[in-house]
Amino acid sequence: MIEIDIPHDICSTTFACGPSLYVKRPEKPSYENDQRSGITPPLGNDYLLDEGLLFILKTLVKKYKKQMGDQQETLVSGGLQQYLIKLEMKKRSLMNEKKNVDQEASIFHGLPLNVKLHIFSYLGVKDLCRMSGVCRDWYDVSQDNHLWQEKLTRNIQSWNIISHLTNPALYREVQSEWSNKEIFLRCSPEINQIMHERNSMLTSISNMLRYFLPKKVPKIAMFGPGLESENTSSLVRQMLTARTLLEQVGMVPGQFDGVGSGWLLKMADSTNFQLSVLYSASKSVRQQPGWDRINGNNLLQVSIHDGGQVGVELKPAVKDFCRTVDAFIYVVDSTLSAPGEGNDELNTMVNERWSATHVPVLVLSCVKDSNTSRIPCIKVVEKLGMSNMTRPWQVRDCESENLTEVLNGIRWVVEQSHRR
């Protein structure tokens, strides 16, 4: 006889599997004194079957078999305990079998770590991130710090946008605890573009709400040696003649001894801005022999400080104009054959003594067209010392004959000017 504890949600009584399921008629002989094992009371008209009790027992048996996952199992005493033991044994067996199969079938698992890293180094960033979800071994390899350092060093040469938030040097200088993978994914223009597309709905809602806020038309000052270079001097002309991309709404007169005059322009997305172009000197003056960009500059003047130290400052009218500017655009000629230019002009124009630190700076690393070889964007960042700038900045590759990236950069400075 096997006793079974039926759960309380079914019945609170303990039953026994055996002759007790059958109810004997009073007038028939009893089988209680029969000691032979295996004797089952005959079924017939002489005995009545307790259908309710049998249904409860069958239900309990089905529940145990279903939980044990084996329909051929026979319910025995202590079934719950045996079920838990059996479940644990099955779990360990499956894990051991999977581990043995993976170790025997995967040749990659037995390779040395340096060989695995060499193989993974040929993968792209997206594929490398996907590989980290295959197994624990591949995850460990794909997280290797030296692997991502190599990728960062190699891929950064092809990045076309670097800003104050996506400059890898910034995280190294502050000794950030971020891994090289985290720095790469945070700074990569490709990854940032993917994240921007995924958050396009949120961006649209944010832009719509920002549209209802009162804001003035930002005043942008554009200057730099790229505006006067033979390779990229056509940039301003392209901006003023591309009527499908930029519409001239009006003219703006100069406010400080003629400094600050320009155009009121409107982009295709209804973004308005005021553009003032500042040249260091006229073309005829710049073509004179021996002309020096600092001493002969209409924007700058050489000053002598206490102790005889020579410095460079803005002229008073230009200084007053810079106090009213909402954004700066510095244009450089990044053609490989272009002569190198210093950063004295940039640092003097955006000096925090007359320009608030929240005013953004956009550096257009410009070439004539897509067929012209260029200096990598990261080299322009290093050359201009952008990491030392205490204001929002962005360096962007562009072409003077194609205004796509130029307008994207202007949208960035307009957005930054509205965040003050």
Side-chain angles (χ1 to χ4, degrees), residues 293-348:
R293 186 168 186 84
I294 299 298
N295 294 321
N297 201 312
N298 292 335
L299 307 176
L300 309 177
Q301 63 182 6
V302 178
S303 60
I304 300 177
H305 302 287
D306 296 339
Q309 187 178 2
V310 179
V312 180
E313 289 187 357
L314 294 180
K315 292 185 177 181
V318 180
K319 189 182 301 185
D320 293 336
F321 169 71
C322 288
R323 290 191 177 99
T324 66
V325 167
D326 299 302
F328 292 100
I329 297 180
Y330 186 66
V331 184
V332 296
D333 182 1
S334 58
T335 307
L336 287 176
S337 59
E341 299 288 349
N343 56 2
D344 291 340
E345 186 175 0
L346 173 63
N347 292 335
T348 304

Side-chain angles (χ1 to χ4, degrees), residues 20-289:
S20 60
L21 285 175
Y22 304 95
V23 180
K24 195 182 81 168
R25 291 180 182 272
E27 63 274 10
K28 297 298 181 181
S30 174
Y31 285 81
E32 294 178 355
N33 297 326
D34 196 330
Q35 302 298 324
R36 292 174 296 173
S37 61
I39 297 295
T40 303
L43 296 176
N45 297 330
D46 295 335
Y47 284 82
L48 295 177
L49 186 63
D50 190 340
E51 296 293 343
L53 181 59
L54 183 60
F55 174 79
I56 294 175
L57 181 59
K58 286 183 177 180
T59 302
L60 184 60
V61 171
K62 287 180 180 179
K63 284 189 175 182
Y64 271 98
K65 288 185 177 182
K66 183 178 180 180
Q67 293 295 328
M68 295 174 69
D70 187 359
Q71 297 296 333
Q72 304 299 325
E73 286 286 344
T74 302
L75 186 63
V76 295
S77 179
L80 181 58
Q81 182 178 3
Q82 292 194 16
Y83 160 70
L84 296 176
I85 295 174
K86 180 180 177 181
L87 186 64
E88 182 66 22
M89 292 178 64
K90 281 186 176 181
K91 183 178 179 181
R92 292 182 181 180
S93 177
L94 291 174
M95 291 179 61
N96 292 334
E97 289 178 2
K98 185 177 182 300
K99 183 177 179 180
N100 293 334
V101 170
D102 291 343
Q103 291 181 353
E104 294 175 1
S106 176
I107 302 177
F108 185 85
H109 181 80
L111 295 176
L113 178 59
N114 59 336
V115 177
K116 296 178 183 178
L117 292 175
H118 182 71
I119 295 174
F120 273 51
S121 65
Y122 289 97
L123 297 176
V125 176
K126 295 181 181 178
D127 294 331
L128 195 58
C129 292
R130 293 190 186 103
M131 290 299 180
S132 63
V134 174
C135 63
R136 180 67 187 183
D137 185 28
W138 288 29
Y139 173 82
D140 293 337
V141 178
S142 64
Q143 298 292 317
D144 186 82
N145 213 37
H146 295 287
L147 175 64
W148 283 98
Q149 175 62 40
E150 181 183 352
K151 282 200 167 297
L152 183 61
T153 304
R154 182 172 64 250
N155 289 23
I156 198 175
Q157 301 298 323
S158 61
W159 289 358
N160 64 334
I161 303 174
I162 299 176
S163 70
H164 63 292
L165 297 178
T166 61
N167 183 20
L170 174 66
Y171 300 95
R172 298 193 187 99
E173 290 176 1
V174 300
Q175 297 181 351
S176 171
E177 296 181 354
W178 285 20
S179 64
N180 287 326
K181 178 181 179 180
E182 293 172 319
I183 296 176
F184 186 99
L185 298 180
R186 177 66 182 86
C187 300
S188 171
E190 179 184 5
I191 302 300
N192 288 329
Q193 179 64 27
I194 294 175
M195 297 302 297
H196 179 75
E197 293 175 356
R198 290 184 178 180
N199 298 329
S200 58
M201 180 62 69
L202 180 61
T203 303
S204 300
I205 296 175
S206 177
N207 292 336
M208 182 184 66
L209 296 176
R210 193 179 293 117
Y211 176 81
F212 294 101
L213 298 176
K215 52 183 177 295
K216 69 172 185 177
V217 177
K219 182 185 297 184
I220 301 176
M222 177 182 286
F223 65 103
L227 297 177
E228 305 161 0
S229 172
E230 182 180 354
N231 300 315
T232 58
S233 59
S234 61
L235 176 61
V236 176
R237 184 177 67 252
Q238 289 290 334
M239 295 178 65
L240 298 179
T241 56
R243 302 191 183 278
T244 58
L245 300 176
L246 279 175
E247 178 185 356
Q248 295 186 34
V249 179
M251 299 290 294
V252 179
Q255 297 178 339
F256 308 97
D257 295 337
V259 178
S261 60
W263 304 269
L264 182 61
L265 302 176
K266 180 179 181 180
M267 289 192 282
D269 59 356
S270 301
T271 301
N272 296 328
F273 63 94
Q274 177 183 329
L275 180 65
S276 299
V277 180
L278 305 177
Y279 291 96
S280 61
S282 63
K283 185 176 181 180
S284 58
V285 173
R286 295 196 307 268
Q287 292 177 345
Q288 293 179 1

Side-chain angles (χ1 to χ4, degrees), residues 152-172 183-184 186-190 192 361-365 375-387 389 391-398 405 409 412-413:
L152 183 61
T153 304
R154 182 172 64 250
N155 289 23
I156 198 175
Q157 301 298 323
S158 61
W159 289 358
N160 64 334
I161 303 174
I162 299 176
S163 70
H164 63 292
L165 297 178
T166 61
N167 183 20
L170 174 66
Y171 300 95
R172 298 193 187 99
I183 296 176
F184 186 99
R186 177 66 182 86
C187 300
S188 171
E190 179 184 5
N192 288 329
V361 176
L362 171 65
V363 177
L364 294 179
S365 178
I375 300 172
C377 185
I378 185 62
K379 296 297 183 181
V380 177
V381 173
E382 296 172 354
K383 185 176 181 180
L384 297 179
M386 302 302 294
S387 300
M389 191 168 293
R391 62 177 70 244
W393 59 266
Q394 184 185 92
V395 178
R396 179 184 291 263
D397 289 344
C398 66
E405 291 301 324
W412 177 82
V413 294

